Amino acid sequence: MRITPTAAGLALTALLATGCAQGTPSTNDGSAATDSPAAQPTTAPRVTASTFLPPGQGAGAVTYDETAVPEGATADVQVRVQEGSTFVQFTGTGLEAERDFGAHVHTGKCGDDPGDAGPHYQNEADPEAAEGEPSSDPEYANPENEVWLDMTTDDGGNAFVTATVDWEFRAGEAQSLVLHDEHTATHEGHAGSAGDRLACVTVEF
């Protein structure tokens, strides 16, 4: 488990407990991740809590757009695995208020360049996708084969969203969560796309 910094994690946990964050994310053509109707995993989560900083000032959480994701905004990512399924939860504070974001798990770690995080992690990789390039085939770029965490912040810039998939990450192949400019598209040729990369959190999935 990696917590960076501990104080941010505790503050985010308190925020979640008091219900300040948004309960259910907005959807875009039905593509947004939502709470699973199945029972929630009961195993202890792996927690990554970070504060967003500009490129070059920290690799834990990097903002590439300080209007949408201001320096000092926070991210809390929790990952739990149970009986072959994976539950991912994102809580954000200090983000731009009343704004749509797309969010997906990516294969690489965050870096100074938005592209450093690589393409989306896929449980079943698209065989036609070029190496290092995102897949846009809805047969593979969908919220059952990837982890999508689309959200809309409240008037305080807070967001809370979860997703559950019926598979586990392959060790070392999923290393970040990227926030994007808009909710995720689902149509042919654009499936999985969500606009510019606004920020990135390196996560131990």
Side-chain angles (χ1 to χ4, degrees), residues 29-113:
D29 297 327
S31 64
T34 58
D35 293 342
S36 170
Q40 296 295 334
T42 57
T43 55
R46 297 190 299 273
V47 180
T48 300
S50 304
T51 299
F52 288 103
L53 297 172
Q57 296 188 26
V62 183
T63 176
Y64 309 114
D65 183 326
E66 292 190 51
T67 299
V69 184
E71 179 178 355
T74 63
D76 177 287
V77 182
Q78 299 192 19
V79 184
R80 289 180 283 181
V81 177
Q82 180 171 297
E83 298 178 353
S85 293
T86 303
F87 172 83
V88 181
Q89 173 182 298
F90 173 83
T91 306
T93 69
L95 305 172
E96 184 177 2
E98 299 181 323
R99 188 197 201 287
D100 291 344
F101 290 88
H104 317 110
V105 173
H106 284 243
T107 59
K109 293 182 179 180
C110 306
D112 289 349
D113 186 277

Side-chain angles (χ1 to χ4, degrees), residues 22 24-28 32 68-69 95-103 149-154 158-159 179-184 194-196 198:
Q22 191 170 313
T24 303
S26 296
T27 60
N28 181 48
V69 184
L95 305 172
E96 184 177 2
E98 299 181 323
R99 188 197 201 287
D100 291 344
F101 290 88
L149 291 156
D150 289 2
M151 68 195 85
T152 300
T153 54
D154 64 17
N158 305 309
L179 302 186
H180 291 264
D181 188 45
E182 56 196 25
H183 283 174
T184 310
D196 291 342
L198 306 178

Side-chain angles (χ1 to χ4, degrees), residues 75-205:
D76 177 287
V77 182
Q78 299 192 19
V79 184
R80 289 180 283 181
V81 177
Q82 180 171 297
E83 298 178 353
S85 293
T86 303
F87 172 83
V88 181
Q89 173 182 298
F90 173 83
T91 306
T93 69
L95 305 172
E96 184 177 2
E98 299 181 323
R99 188 197 201 287
D100 291 344
F101 290 88
H104 317 110
V105 173
H106 284 243
T107 59
K109 293 182 179 180
C110 306
D112 289 349
D113 186 277
D116 289 341
H120 296 182
Y121 177 91
Q122 294 186 327
N123 180 50
E124 182 180 353
D126 182 352
E128 301 299 322
E131 184 175 356
E133 295 296 324
S135 168
S136 59
D137 181 346
E139 183 176 347
Y140 297 93
N142 62 65
E144 286 75 44
N145 194 45
E146 302 180 350
V147 174
W148 296 4
L149 291 156
D150 289 2
M151 68 195 85
T152 300
T153 54
D154 64 17
D155 59 7
N158 305 309
F160 168 69
V161 61
T162 70
T164 302
V165 290
D166 62 359
W167 41 263
E168 299 181 27
F169 291 108
R170 296 179 293 275
E173 294 187 31
Q175 302 185 81
S176 62
L177 179 71
V178 174
L179 302 186
H180 291 264
D181 188 45
E182 56 196 25
H183 283 174
T184 310
T186 59
H187 55 286
E188 185 75 35
H190 296 276
S193 63
D196 291 342
R197 300 182 184 197
L198 306 178
C200 180
V201 185
T202 295
V203 180
E204 183 181 330
F205 286 105

